[in-house]
Amino acid sequence: MQEKELIISEIMMPNQANVEGNIHGGEIMKIMDSCAYAVTRRYARTNVVTARVDELQFHQPIKVGDLVICSAKIAFAGKTSMEVYVDVQVEDLRSHMPPIPALSAYFTMVALDRNSKPAHIPPLEINNEEEQVEFAAGKARYEAYKNKRHNEVKNTNK
Ligand SMILES: CC(C)(COP(=O)(O)OP(=O)(O)OC[C@H]1O[C@@H](n2cnc3c(N)ncnc32)[C@H](O)[C@@H]1OP(=O)(O)O)[C@@H](O)C(=O)NCCC(=O)NCCS
């Protein structure tokens, strides 16, 4: 079975926060990027870089002392690129409440060879209906991004 999911968790520290104890958005984005990197680096078994991050909206404040649980799952794989769904939950360790959703985003990661050129990756195995739906949605976004880039290049060359 392919390894296409990974979870990392981290307790938020004062050096990651503003003066009121709110964790900087960039700190959370860094954890998300690391999680997307790790899952795709392991999948591709070669270097990977972030090519795109879709919309990010922070639904919950994250405070010093909170546990951030970040999970990443590869939803779609093209020839050299992978789309990863990254989800962040936050748990207040002073309470008995379960973790709550804080934000999520899709990251596109591209595998690179030793010459930093896009490198081919294994096809993604689909194991159930849910993964089939995620794959189809990922493919639709991949094609839309490709068309958008194509049109941007065309407009630049006009
Ligand atoms: C991402 C990067 C490797 C793409 O290189 P490129 O020569 O444009 O590659 P290609 O056009 O052949 O595209 C390669 C794959 O990446 C995908 N891709 C490229 N740019 C993309 C973008 N902006 N959004 C989504 N997917 C993208 C393509 O769809 C293609 O996927 P496929 O092989 O599965 O069909 C290159 O733009 C790069 O190195 N960017 C900087 C990455 C980086 O440093 N990130 C860290 C931020 S500091």
Side-chain angles (χ1 to χ4, degrees), residues 91-110:
E91 184 173 344
D92 178 353
L93 297 182
R94 295 165 307 179
S95 78
H96 292 282
M97 299 298 286
I100 49 174
L103 71 155
S104 60
Y106 285 99
F107 282 61
T108 303
M109 313 297 287
V110 178

Side-chain angles (χ1 to χ4, degrees), residues 49-52 78-81 108 110 112 118 142 145-146 149:
V49 287
T50 313
R52 174 183 293 271
K79 288 190 282 295
T80 67
S81 68
T108 303
V110 178
L112 299 181
Y142 158 86
Y145 296 147
K146 227 172 186 169
R149 285 199 308 286

Side-chain angles (χ1 to χ4, degrees), residues 31 39 66-67 70 82 88 93 96 100-101 108 133 145 152:
I31 297 170
V39 74
D66 285 348
L67 180 68
C70 183
M82 295 149 277
V88 176
L93 297 182
H96 292 282
I100 49 174
T108 303
V133 170
Y145 296 147
E152 281 166 0

Side-chain angles (χ1 to χ4, degrees), residues 14-130:
N15 66 339
Q16 297 171 296
N18 69 17
V19 290
E20 301 295 336
N22 290 89
I23 301 303
H24 295 297
E27 295 284 348
I28 305 301
M29 286 152 64
K30 184 168 185 298
I31 297 170
M32 295 172 84
D33 195 37
S34 298
C35 203
Y37 170 79
V39 74
T40 51
R41 174 72 179 81
R42 185 179 61 185
Y43 179 83
R45 300 287 169 190
T46 186
N47 187 24
V48 293
V49 287
T50 313
R52 174 183 293 271
V53 183
D54 78 356
E55 194 181 73
L56 278 170
Q57 284 188 54
F58 292 82
H59 301 302
Q60 289 294 332
I62 302 177
K63 306 287 280 189
V64 171
D66 285 348
L67 180 68
V68 165
I69 304 153
C70 183
S71 61
K73 181 173 183 189
I74 302 174
F76 168 81
K79 288 190 282 295
T80 67
S81 68
M82 295 149 277
E83 195 193 57
V84 187
Y85 178 67
V86 183
D87 173 69
V88 176
Q89 307 266 328
V90 62
E91 184 173 344
D92 178 353
L93 297 182
R94 295 165 307 179
S95 78
H96 292 282
M97 299 298 286
I100 49 174
L103 71 155
S104 60
Y106 285 99
F107 282 61
T108 303
M109 313 297 287
V110 178
L112 299 181
D113 65 16
R114 284 168 183 270
N115 300 312
S116 297
K117 298 285 178 223
H120 279 250
I121 51 169
L124 194 67
E125 285 170 12
I126 303 299
N127 299 314
N128 54 47
E129 206 171 309
E130 191 188 334

